[in-house]
Amino acid sequence: MNYHFANHRQVRKNLLDILQSTSEKDLLAIPDGFNNNIYWNIAHCIAQQQLLCYYLSGNQFRIDKYWVETYKKGTFANVDVKSSEMEDLAYLLIETSKILMKDFDNDFFPDYTPYSTSFGIDLKNIQDAIIFNNMHESIHYGYILAQKRALIGEGLSL
């Protein structure tokens, strides 16, 4: 699993780089043809990790429920996000990755409720969830890159 945790840390570093190097205006803009913005996609990764790994294993979230309720699947972008929330998100990107690895190493996930993802992948245990979560976050990273290109194409990006 060390390989999968290393991959997760890298995806999170990539997301953090985008969060910190993109203007607030661009983070919150919703490009034509998209349902959400860059910021929502980053925060969504945090929310879904909590649902896939903690909720389905019968454990409490490791973050405030606000993040899960606001950015889970089926939610839509808030275009009025405070700078303090963006700072919190930057912190959560790194910390929730570290906490997940620590919890896994401490056998925090003895139970897991099997789940079939909308992607067509069946998760049977925490290992499956962690591996799928990496794929899920990588998909959103690609989506974010497409959104950045769309913003530039629309002349909205600075």
Side-chain angles (χ1 to χ4, degrees), residues 132-144:
F132 175 77
N133 185 67
N134 284 353
M135 183 177 71
H136 174 259
E137 292 190 16
S138 296
I139 289 167
H140 282 278
Y141 177 66
Y143 216 70
I144 289 165

Side-chain angles (χ1 to χ4, degrees), residues 9 11 23 37 39 58-59 70 96 102 109-110 126 131 154:
R9 283 190 305 274
V11 172
S23 71
N37 56 28
Y39 184 84
N59 290 302
T70 307
T96 56
K102 181 180 174 188
F109 305 100
I126 190 61
I131 293 166
E154 292 172 19

Side-chain angles (χ1 to χ4, degrees), residues 110-124:
D111 298 317
Y112 195 85
T113 302
Y115 178 73
S116 295
T117 70
S118 59
F119 203 75
I121 295 176
D122 294 328
L123 308 180
K124 296 179 183 100

Side-chain angles (χ1 to χ4, degrees), residues 22-145:
T22 305
S23 71
E24 273 189 43
K25 178 183 175 245
D26 286 353
L27 286 171
L28 300 177
I30 301 174
D32 287 342
F34 291 87
N35 293 328
N36 284 305
N37 56 28
I38 293 169
Y39 184 84
W40 181 90
N41 276 280
I42 296 171
H44 172 73
C45 290
I46 299 293
Q48 286 304 118
Q49 179 218 37
Q50 295 295 300
L51 289 165
L52 291 168
C53 296
Y54 291 90
Y55 177 77
L56 290 173
S57 65
N59 290 302
Q60 296 291 316
F61 298 136
R62 294 298 203 185
I63 61 174
D64 190 286
K65 190 176 178 180
Y66 162 81
W67 291 96
V68 176
E69 292 301 317
T70 307
Y71 297 104
K72 67 185 176 184
K73 183 178 178 178
T75 61
F76 294 97
N78 177 0
V79 294
D80 186 29
V81 176
K82 294 179 175 39
S83 294
S84 61
E85 182 179 312
M86 291 188 184
E87 291 168 12
D88 291 344
L89 180 57
Y91 174 80
L92 289 174
L93 278 169
I94 301 306
E95 288 306 305
T96 56
S97 185
K98 290 178 187 176
I99 292 166
L100 178 62
M101 187 171 72
K102 181 180 174 188
D103 286 344
F104 181 84
D105 288 344
N106 290 330
D107 295 321
F108 192 68
F109 305 100
D111 298 317
Y112 195 85
T113 302
Y115 178 73
S116 295
T117 70
S118 59
F119 203 75
I121 295 176
D122 294 328
L123 308 180
K124 296 179 183 100
N125 54 48
I126 190 61
Q127 291 90 342
D128 291 350
I130 291 167
I131 293 166
F132 175 77
N133 185 67
N134 284 353
M135 183 177 71
H136 174 259
E137 292 190 16
S138 296
I139 289 167
H140 282 278
Y141 177 66
Y143 216 70
I144 289 165
L145 296 178

